[in-house]
Amino acid sequence: MNEILRLETISKAYTSGAGRRVQVLDAADLCVNAGEIVGLVAPSGAGKSTLLHIAGLLDNADSGRVYISGVDTSQQSDRRRTATRRNDIGFVYQFHHLLPEFSALENLMLPQMANGRSKATAEARATELLASVGLEARGHHRPAEMSGGEQQRVAFCRAMANAPKLLIADEPTGNLDPETAERVFVTLVKLVRETGLAAVIATHNHELAARMDRQLSLSGGKLIPL
Ligand SMILES: Nc1ncnc2c1ncn2[C@@H]1O[C@H](COP(=O)(O)OP(=O)(O)OP(=O)(O)O)[C@@H](O)[C@H]1O
């Protein structure tokens, strides 16, 4: 088994403005292998986004450890962890967050060039990625010139642009009508399967979650199988 993500006894609490302490995660454990898609289905406020932010190295846990490909990121410097996040983790959110003034191709080239790829190499990969989601004809369109489903497929490609090992997706189809959500979800699964990524996908959609390899929920701050 090629373990990509391991969370060990992750705890996180927030203190509200009124001084009330909310223990969102309480010694949560998770292990995801390469090629595995894990669905995270839990009620609103259960802590899905908090967990994904910690797993994606966007936020720190109060205690516990996050391993990416066996490396304990809790022991890394901030700089090193930022590099791990940029190189090894791709993110998809409910809203596409593409840069509005740039074309689809440019949106896929920029993160690669920021990681040191040449313009020509970045463009070749961007073109290949767009073709893999059936959007070869949309490369020169800006986000506003594409449908919601197309925008989200470009966002998936952007998450894959730097060939990450781990994909973190927070409600990736939450903003789409059911039919488009279905089509976009199929594309996401195809991309993940082709690349052998490990993926953690939070969704409110039980039907989509049922088609992932494993489904987990959050209860009392812990991850439990569904
Ligand atoms: N910065 C913060 N300060 C205080 N409380 C917070 C903060 N961020 C999140 N919370 C609280 O932590 C809990 C978990 O939030 P989180 O966003 O992780 O839930 P979620 O499961 O992703 O919810 P949703 O499905 O509605 O997006 C909620 O009760 C939320 O109000």
Side-chain angles (χ1 to χ4, degrees):
M1 286 292 177
N2 182 4
E3 178 188 286
I4 301 294
L5 170 69
R6 180 148 49 101
L7 303 182
E8 249 178 36
T9 58
I10 294 291
S11 294
K12 179 83 177 176
Y14 294 112
T15 305
S16 71
R20 209 171 66 88
R21 195 164 179 276
V22 186
Q23 189 72 42
V24 181
L25 300 174
D26 185 10
D29 293 314
L30 173 67
C31 183
V32 189
N33 293 317
E36 191 179 27
I37 305 180
V38 173
L40 184 55
V41 193
S44 183
K48 298 182 294 295
S49 299
T50 302
L51 184 93
L52 294 183
H53 284 149
I54 291 171
L57 310 181
L58 290 166
D59 195 5
N60 293 320
D62 296 336
S63 61
R65 291 172 192 277
V66 180
Y67 294 85
I68 304 286
S69 290
V71 175
D72 181 359
T73 61
S74 357
Q75 301 295 319
Q76 291 181 318
S77 64
D78 284 351
R79 201 188 151 117
R80 190 65 223 127
R81 278 196 309 150
T82 301
T84 302
R85 187 171 69 236
R86 280 215 194 118
N87 295 325
D88 295 343
I89 308 177
F91 295 91
V92 180
Y93 302 96
Q94 181 171 0
F95 298 99
H96 58 77
H97 297 299
L98 296 169
L99 298 170
E101 67 273 32
F102 291 103
S103 69
L105 271 174
E106 288 164 342
N107 265 284
L108 304 189
M109 289 165 64
L110 287 168
Q112 299 180 65
M113 290 162 72
N115 260 18
R117 282 211 178 123
S118 72
K119 193 171 173 214
T121 310
E123 184 164 7
R125 174 151 177 85
T127 304
E128 189 184 308
L129 279 165
L130 283 179
S132 75
V133 299
L135 290 179
E136 50 277 75
R138 295 286 183 274
H140 296 287
H141 287 227
R142 290 182 184 177
E145 297 162 347
M146 289 184 278
S147 72
E150 288 171 346
Q151 291 167 350
Q152 201 59 330
R153 280 186 278 160
V154 177
F156 294 165
C157 293
R158 183 188 46 190
M160 307 285 182
N162 284 320
K165 296 174 182 163
L166 172 66
L167 178 78
I168 302 244
D170 198 351
E171 288 286 345
T173 60
N175 187 39
L176 305 171
D177 65 74
E179 212 175 286
T180 310
E182 165 69 26
R183 271 191 287 124
V184 163
F185 177 75
V186 168
T187 307
L188 177 62
V189 171
K190 173 177 165 277
L191 273 182
V192 171
R193 297 282 183 226
E194 280 170 3
T195 48
L197 279 179
V200 185
I201 304 177
T203 178
H204 284 115
N205 187 326
H206 283 267
E207 250 174 64
L208 296 187
R211 285 151 54 190
M212 301 182 201
D213 298 321
R214 249 187 317 141
Q215 297 164 63
L216 300 173
S217 188
L218 268 165
S219 177
K222 290 190 165 51
L223 283 159
I224 50 164
L226 258 187

